[in-house]
Amino acid sequence: MPKGVTKRRPRTRAALLGAALEAFAEHGFHAASIEQICERAGYTRGAFYSNFSSKEELFLALFDEHSARIVARITELIDSVADQDLTLQGLVEILADVDPAERDWYLVTTEFTLHAIRDPQAAWVLAQHDARLRAEIARGLTEHLHRTGRTLTVDADALARLLIAIREGGLAQSYVEPDQLPPGQLERLFLAPLLAALSTEDDTTTGGPAAVL
């Protein structure tokens, strides 16, 4: 492949992803056309098909990009806190933070999930991407809880499923009633006692219980 094409490809892909997120959020996954996405991005259908085989593949690329960005942001925020200063409630505050731009992603991913429920092949593919995200959540949660002096007593993957359900269910209610339930409020109210109930205090090097809150 010519050097110029190689250098342009990441920019083309990024522009198509950004345009797709806007188009999906505004018109819906099914209603948004490849032509609309290309027009927003400033590229041709040929550029689209040189990067993605379908709108489904494009969505899944958005899913992976969004997942990586969220995990990286949370990890960076938690890692910026010294071990001795990281408490369970402090961890929850970071996990409960919701960027205002998350609303668009919620609209897009919810519609695609409904599509996947109706389409077994789409469901199978989405499940693979969900599983990779859950693995990252489970790994990170285990490590971050350990920094607060606690060890999970339940399966980390199952807990990741529960946390995702709380997050997505809470956001659905928040976007319908934003004045009654600000995004992240359910996590701030209930996540710390939930995590405390599903974990146990570690012993410190001196044999005593670790401080949690």
Side-chain angles (χ1 to χ4, degrees):
M1 182 178 292
K3 278 189 176 180
V5 175
T6 302
K7 290 179 179 179
R8 288 196 300 269
R9 191 178 186 87
R11 293 197 299 270
T12 304
R13 184 179 176 87
L16 289 167
L17 287 170
L21 180 58
E22 293 176 1
F24 290 161
E26 181 177 344
H27 302 291
F29 173 77
H30 288 293
S33 67
I34 291 174
E35 288 77 10
Q36 287 173 322
I37 294 170
C38 292
E39 183 177 352
R40 282 176 183 259
Y43 288 100
T44 64
R45 285 176 63 93
F48 178 93
Y49 284 112
S50 70
N51 285 273
F52 306 102
S53 63
S54 64
K55 284 198 300 181
E56 281 194 2
E57 184 179 319
L58 175 58
F59 167 81
L60 293 169
L62 278 171
F63 182 97
D64 291 341
E65 181 184 72
H66 179 269
S67 299
R69 184 170 62 251
I70 294 298
V71 169
R73 182 174 67 85
I74 290 174
T75 300
E76 182 180 0
L77 289 172
I78 294 173
D79 287 348
S80 68
V81 181
D83 286 350
Q84 65 270 20
D85 296 328
L86 185 62
T87 64
L88 191 57
Q89 187 60 46
L91 176 61
V92 166
E93 287 296 324
I94 293 173
L95 296 176
D97 183 62
V98 179
D99 189 290
E102 190 70 9
R103 183 179 181 276
D104 282 352
W105 175 247
Y106 184 83
L107 292 173
V108 174
T109 191
T110 298
E111 185 178 3
F112 190 87
T113 299
L114 293 174
H115 162 66
I117 291 172
R118 298 185 182 98
D119 185 326
Q121 177 60 29
W124 183 87
V125 174
L126 179 59
Q128 312 311 305
H129 291 258
D130 278 335
R132 290 197 289 271
L133 174 58
R134 280 201 318 277
E136 285 294 312
I137 294 173
R139 179 190 58 77
L141 184 61
T142 301
E143 293 177 359
H144 300 321
L145 273 176
H146 184 67
R147 288 184 58 203
T148 72
R150 304 194 72 84
T151 297
L152 284 177
T153 56
V154 297
D155 178 70
D157 181 76
L159 180 56
R161 285 185 182 272
L162 177 61
L163 296 183
I164 292 171
I166 293 171
R167 177 75 157 202
E168 293 181 351
L171 285 178
Q173 297 178 65
S174 294
Y175 293 141
V176 171
E177 299 180 279
D179 295 333
Q180 298 298 316
L181 185 69
Q185 186 66 20
L186 289 180
E187 291 95 322
R188 290 187 173 92
L189 289 173
F190 299 112
L191 194 51
L194 175 64
L195 291 176
L198 300 178
S199 62
T200 185
E201 290 184 341
D202 295 332
D203 288 336
T204 64
T205 54
T206 59
V212 177
L213 297 175

